[in-house]
Amino acid sequence: MRNVPLSPLTLVLVALLCGQAAGAAEAGDPKVVDTDVGGVEAPEIPVDEVAPKVAKDAGDLVVAGYLRALAGINSEGSRAACFQLAGAGAKYRLGNECEVYGELFFGKQIVSFTDGASISANAMFSLNRPMAYNSTSYSTDTSVAQAYLAAEKLSFLNGGALWAGLRYYKREDIHINDFFYWNPQGLGGGVEDIAIGGVKVSLAMFTEDNRDQAIKADRYDFQVRGLKVNPNGELEFGYSAIPASGHIYTGGDSGWSVTVQHRQTNLWGEGWNKFAVQYGVGPGTGLGSTGPLTNTTSDTRFRVVEGLFAQMTPKLGGMLTGVYQKDESPLGDQTWLSIGGRLVYGFTDHLKLQGELGHDQVRPSVGDTRNLTKLTIAPTLAMARGFWARPELRFFYTYARWNEAAARAANGSTNSAVASTASTGIFASGNQGSTIGLQFEGWW
């Protein structure tokens, strides 16, 4: 798809205009449903407004969107710098996302039936424009991120659904570091959320994860969700299998992974906690997605993820996360540890103060341990006090510091946030750097 020459200022102005309705809705603390837009949850729209018995006009169209943009100056005098530790699977994102990124989702019910079943068409388009001082290109990349059909609320599937196409599928992430630890998205089809014995069962088959996957491989995904184990607590299970037949010429083996997650809701009102344990072998080291197809059964990954969100008072909300990941391979082992949190305090309905602190550590079996700590303080203009209230315009200061091992490991990285920490980069003299600037984030 061709590049679209949109300036960051234009995108921010459009988002501010479109995002007013979202901010007003969040101020009333609505229920939320997962829309898979921007990795966040959006306000729930009443079913009778978006799924009438007969879909006739544009009023039946569901539209949702996400946009973020960052601009600033780093401590060495050039445009914004962002910071990530070499070998870490994510970075803490407040004041640390050097790009303009947007998503626009459209959903349309095209057929409905008297028993409540319906067929819908869904599509989502995304754009990304790097803005970091050391980006290799500043062109805007656009793509079709989702395009699928779904037949929902089918009686012969006990209320389940049939779907086919390109889809963000049952993704799980932690918002403050944008870490999608369970992400079986891709091009495929399947049956979803079939009610059986008090749980919901889903089975899907994918032929690729995304357009950037160099070698395609089949992947089978099986999930069981909704097993109640305690008040407001449920267990969720996932199994992914990648057979060898589709990629045997790469020299790798077949692979698999398993995920067990406990989800607790209604903590301090609308708060929640997610605790996941994951293990993968071979190409299954993607832990839901497809890992390197050259992996053999000697390549394994074990991961534990903890995520906690709470709106403790109408003014004070926050999120904490922790990750432990151990990779074992004939080429060498590596452990990634991460812990961080964000606090948001709303002084008024339109003025907040946000703070985020995150620390990452990578310990390879060969070489020294790498460390990076990142701190951001951000006075914020917003539409409401709550943690999730958007849109927001943040005036931020981000500071990061890392050790010499991290600097050496970052040399030659094509990731601009990792390359900021390189010993050959502009911050090499002190292994520390900062950025001051503006960041916009909104969804609707």
Side-chain angles (χ1 to χ4, degrees), residues 87-370:
K91 67 182 189 301
Y92 291 90
R93 64 190 297 190
L94 184 66
N96 199 35
E97 294 178 299
C98 292
E99 69 267 342
V100 175
Y101 179 78
E103 297 175 344
L104 189 60
F105 176 89
F106 298 93
K108 173 77 172 179
Q109 185 187 92
I110 55 178
V111 178
S112 62
F113 304 94
T114 57
D115 65 353
S118 64
I119 299 176
S120 64
N122 307 275
M124 191 179 83
F125 306 92
S126 67
L127 64 85
N128 183 74
R129 180 174 180 172
M131 299 299 293
Y133 78 97
N134 56 351
S135 296
T136 57
S137 171
Y138 296 106
S139 63
T140 301
D141 178 59
T142 60
S143 67
V144 178
Q146 299 192 75
Y148 66 96
L149 289 172
E152 301 168 299
K153 299 180 181 179
L154 301 175
S155 58
F156 66 90
L157 292 179
N158 285 343
L162 284 167
W163 69 273
L166 177 65
R167 184 179 176 189
Y168 289 173
Y169 180 74
K170 297 186 177 298
R171 307 189 307 169
E172 298 286 346
D173 81 313
I174 300 298
H175 176 75
I176 60 173
N177 60 355
D178 208 26
F179 182 42
F180 285 85
Y181 57 91
W182 189 4
N183 186 14
Q185 70 175 36
L187 176 64
V191 293
E192 180 181 14
D193 294 338
I194 304 171
I196 301 176
V199 299
K200 292 186 176 180
V201 178
S202 302
L203 179 63
M205 184 267 190
F206 298 88
T207 58
E208 66 175 62
D209 288 16
N210 54 64
R211 65 173 184 167
D212 297 324
Q213 187 176 6
I215 303 175
K216 312 304 181 186
D218 294 340
R219 173 169 49 84
Y220 299 91
D221 188 88
F222 175 74
Q223 296 191 31
V224 177
R225 300 199 178 212
L227 179 61
K228 299 185 183 301
V229 292
N230 63 288
N232 299 315
E234 298 180 349
L235 280 179
E236 301 163 341
F237 304 90
Y239 176 78
S240 177
I242 304 167
S245 57
H247 60 274
I248 191 168
Y249 52 89
T250 65
D253 296 329
S254 61
W256 58 270
S257 68
V258 62
T259 296
V260 179
Q261 176 167 274
H262 180 269
R263 185 190 303 271
Q264 188 72 35
T265 58
N266 297 328
L267 292 176
W268 297 284
E270 296 297 319
W272 48 256
N273 186 81
K274 294 192 290 188
F275 178 76
V277 179
Q278 302 175 284
Y279 183 76
V281 175
T285 55
L287 300 182
S289 60
T290 305
L293 299 178
T294 53
N295 280 3
T296 69
T297 53
S298 297
D299 296 281
T300 64
R301 171 170 288 175
F302 173 74
R303 181 193 290 155
V304 178
V305 178
E306 165 67 20
L308 172 66
F309 160 70
Q311 187 71 45
M312 286 78 75
T313 74
K315 294 183 178 182
L316 181 63
M319 181 177 289
L320 297 172
T321 188
V323 179
Y324 171 85
Q325 179 175 295
K326 177 63 177 295
D327 294 320
E328 295 185 347
S329 168
L331 300 178
D333 301 344
Q334 178 174 286
T335 300
W336 169 41
L337 296 168
S338 183
I339 186 168
R342 184 191 299 183
L343 285 176
V344 178
Y345 186 84
F347 291 99
T348 71
D349 287 341
H350 304 299
L351 179 62
K352 302 177 183 178
L353 180 62
Q354 304 192 55
E356 183 177 272
L357 178 65
H359 178 76
D360 288 284
Q361 181 185 89
V362 170
R363 295 184 303 192
S365 57
V366 178
D368 297 328
T369 298
R370 311 164 203 159

Side-chain angles (χ1 to χ4, degrees), residues 355-400:
E356 183 177 272
L357 178 65
H359 178 76
D360 288 284
Q361 181 185 89
V362 170
R363 295 184 303 192
S365 57
V366 178
D368 297 328
T369 298
R370 311 164 203 159
N371 292 285
L372 183 147
T373 301
K374 171 260 183 191
L375 171 68
T376 298
I377 303 296
T380 302
L381 296 176
M383 298 302 298
R385 296 176 188 265
F387 184 94
W388 297 109
R390 300 293 188 275
E392 289 184 344
L393 183 63
R394 307 155 182 162
F395 176 74
F396 71 88
Y397 171 75
T398 293
Y399 172 81

